[in-house]
Amino acid sequence: MSALERLVSVEPADIERRSFEIIGRELGDRVLDPENEPVIKRCIHTAADFDYADNLAFSPHATAIGAAALGRGASIVTDTSMAASGVNKRVLGRFGGEVLNFIADPQVAAEARERGLTRSAVSMEFAARLSRPFVFAIGNAPTALVSLYELIEAGRMVRPHLIVGVPVGFVNVVESKELIMELDVPYIVARGRKGGSNVAAAICNALLYIASGGERQ
Amino acid sequence: MSALERLVSVEPADIERRSFEIIGRELGDRVLDPENEPVIKRCIHTAADFDYADNLAFSPHATAIGAAALGRGASIVTDTSMAASGVNKRVLGRFGGEVLNFIADPQVAAEARERGLTRSAVSMEFAARLSRPFVFAIGNAPTALVSLYELIEAGRMVRPHLIVGVPVGFVNVVESKELIMELDVPYIVARGRKGGSNVAAAICNALLYIASGGERQ
């Protein structure tokens, strides 16, 4: 049988439902925390990686807190344009929220150069200046998480609704995530090296679908 | 020692170099195909996932062919805005190329609805109408790969320079990638379920850095 013949005939709208069925089946007897299950499954779905069944850490009721904030119109701040582009803006906008991302702001680049910091770190200070609580979705830069930690500890940032801390990589990534878990702020963190802008967006989308009453898993 | 104290002090510009050193070290005695090594390592880097040392398949000289095409100013067509946003447009633009993505075109949405297809599949037909050879970077939709296969087999698309086929997921993903490997078109494919928009962008960026003379790995 050729590869062409082995393709399953499936309606576009059914692809996601079937994918979640397969994920559920392959998780087998494994019991996920029911409160956080939609977030965990959506991360597995977005990376085809079952490591997310083990590496996600949630502060108490983080999923419910994040979904409630987005449902009340909270906006999301991301560290990359890639994470921003992965968030479902249609659903977010329905609640009144928007995605903010300052990484391409020439002012951010200028300040980062002057102070020898990453643009990601400086972009968190720009978010702090807005003096509003946000959901932060950090999928790339450990320096963004360190910047958030310092801003919050110094009382220079309104306490966020939630920090989604899922940078990916090999340098300071593990440590920056542990740092965020020390704050008294709700968090969803992918412990270890894994994560990414795609995972950050997937977690936001899982929260948005919960806020929408779960018409998507 | 607190998480804060365990953070390594590192200049922003050095983070990537150090990350690649760690990847090299952890690969150990493992010998990668030198021609494709920068692509493989950048995929490992972008997902913090060493599976990419095993799952990437390259047609003969695919890396060199892709880098040469981008160096001559070829444009990249992606299936998602997320992959588009991950490509280094500064380097791509220096060679004269741009990123094209038709997924948000209302005309694509209308045609997809009418014909019961995914927007991703229809967006490939929009690329075909431009009658130019492209580098395709498909990180999400198996239906985009199937559409490319059908367009090329039917002679309705100018032969692409390269197809980067790295959709992620559980339904038709494996099969769609095998299909692309049956075409007489240069390819870089992540066999199996893994991949993603981040991986598609990372492969394009690896090719761009090779075309730039490798000042980045």
Side-chain angles (χ1 to χ4, degrees):
Chain A
M1 204 155 89
S2 76
L4 193 59
E5 289 166 330
R6 278 185 286 110
L7 286 166
V8 180
S9 170
V10 53
E11 292 294 311
D14 263 0
I15 294 173
E16 188 166 292
R17 190 183 51 74
R18 288 227 209 176
S19 300
F20 277 87
E21 278 171 14
I22 295 169
I23 292 168
R25 204 156 57 232
E26 296 199 14
L27 281 167
D29 294 337
R30 167 105 201 213
V31 181
L32 302 177
D33 177 0
E35 215 186 308
N36 302 314
E37 187 174 322
V39 172
I40 299 168
K41 284 190 171 170
R42 191 160 287 276
C43 290
I44 294 172
H45 175 255
T46 209
D49 190 338
F50 284 87
D51 280 3
Y52 290 99
D54 297 309
N55 68 17
L56 287 170
F58 298 80
S59 63
H61 309 301
T63 295
I65 290 167
L70 294 176
R72 287 193 311 269
S75 287
I76 297 171
V77 176
T78 68
D79 61 333
T80 61
S81 57
M82 205 171 177
S85 82
V87 172
N88 190 326
K89 261 86 63 186
R90 195 173 45 74
V91 179
L92 179 65
R94 208 191 290 151
F95 294 121
E98 56 181 340
V99 180
L100 303 175
N101 173 253
F102 303 100
I103 199 79
D105 187 320
Q107 197 61 35
V108 166
E111 271 199 43
R113 230 182 352 257
E114 252 168 57
R115 296 163 58 196
L117 297 171
T118 65
R119 290 189 298 148
S120 313
V122 174
S123 75
M124 294 299 117
E125 300 181 10
F126 276 56
R129 290 178 201 164
L130 297 178
S131 301
R132 283 194 281 147
F134 292 111
V135 170
F136 285 89
I138 310 300
N140 184 62
T143 52
L145 287 187
V146 176
S147 175
L148 282 179
Y149 177 87
E150 289 172 342
L151 287 163
I152 293 166
E153 280 289 276
R156 290 173 54 207
M157 175 180 272
V158 177
R159 192 169 176 275
H161 293 298
L162 176 73
I163 299 177
V164 176
V166 295
V168 58
F170 297 86
V171 176
N172 285 340
V173 165
V174 172
E175 294 80 2
S176 73
K177 295 177 192 172
E178 286 172 16
L179 200 58
I180 284 301
M181 295 168 71
E182 292 175 6
L183 284 171
D184 180 31
V185 169
Y187 64 77
I188 301 176
V189 158
R191 278 170 304 188
R193 288 171 168 176
K194 285 189 178 176
S197 299
N198 52 340
V199 175
I203 292 173
C204 292
N205 291 339
L207 299 176
L208 285 167
Y209 302 145
I210 293 168
S212 306
E215 86 267 25
R216 286 171 76 172
Q217 258 175 305
Chain B
M1 203 156 88
S2 77
L4 194 59
E5 289 166 329
R6 277 185 286 110
L7 286 166
V8 179
S9 170
V10 53
E11 291 294 312
D14 263 2
I15 295 174
E16 188 166 292
R17 189 183 52 74
R18 287 226 209 176
S19 300
F20 278 87
E21 278 171 14
I22 294 169
I23 292 167
R25 203 155 59 230
E26 295 198 15
L27 282 166
D29 294 338
R30 169 104 201 217
V31 180
L32 302 177
D33 178 358
E35 215 184 309
N36 301 315
E37 188 175 323
V39 172
I40 299 168
K41 284 190 170 169
R42 192 161 286 277
C43 289
I44 295 171
H45 175 253
T46 209
D49 191 338
F50 283 87
D51 280 4
Y52 291 98
D54 297 309
N55 69 17
L56 288 169
F58 298 81
S59 65
H61 310 300
T63 295
I65 290 167
L70 295 176
R72 287 191 312 268
S75 287
I76 297 172
V77 176
T78 68
D79 61 334
T80 60
S81 57
M82 206 174 176
S85 83
V87 172
N88 190 326
K89 264 84 66 186
R90 195 172 45 75
V91 178
L92 180 65
R94 208 191 289 152
F95 294 123
E98 56 183 340
V99 180
L100 303 174
N101 173 252
F102 303 100
I103 200 79
D105 187 321
Q107 198 59 39
V108 166
E111 271 200 43
R113 227 178 359 252
E114 252 169 58
R115 297 162 59 195
L117 298 172
T118 66
R119 290 189 296 148
S120 312
V122 174
S123 75
M124 295 298 118
E125 300 181 10
F126 276 57
R129 290 178 201 163
L130 297 178
S131 302
R132 284 194 278 148
F134 291 112
V135 170
F136 285 89
I138 310 301
N140 185 62
T143 53
L145 287 187
V146 176
S147 176
L148 281 179
Y149 177 87
E150 289 172 342
L151 287 163
I152 293 166
E153 280 288 276
R156 290 173 55 209
M157 175 180 272
V158 177
R159 191 168 177 276
H161 292 298
L162 174 73
I163 299 176
V164 175
V166 294
V168 59
F170 297 86
V171 176
N172 284 342
V173 165
V174 172
E175 296 79 1
S176 72
K177 295 176 193 175
E178 286 172 17
L179 200 58
I180 284 301
M181 295 168 71
E182 291 175 7
L183 284 170
D184 181 29
V185 169
Y187 64 79
I188 300 176
V189 159
R191 279 170 303 189
R193 288 172 168 176
K194 286 189 178 177
S197 299
N198 51 340
V199 175
I203 292 173
C204 292
N205 290 340
L207 300 176
L208 285 168
Y209 302 145
I210 293 168
S212 306
E215 86 268 26
R216 286 171 75 171
Q217 260 175 303

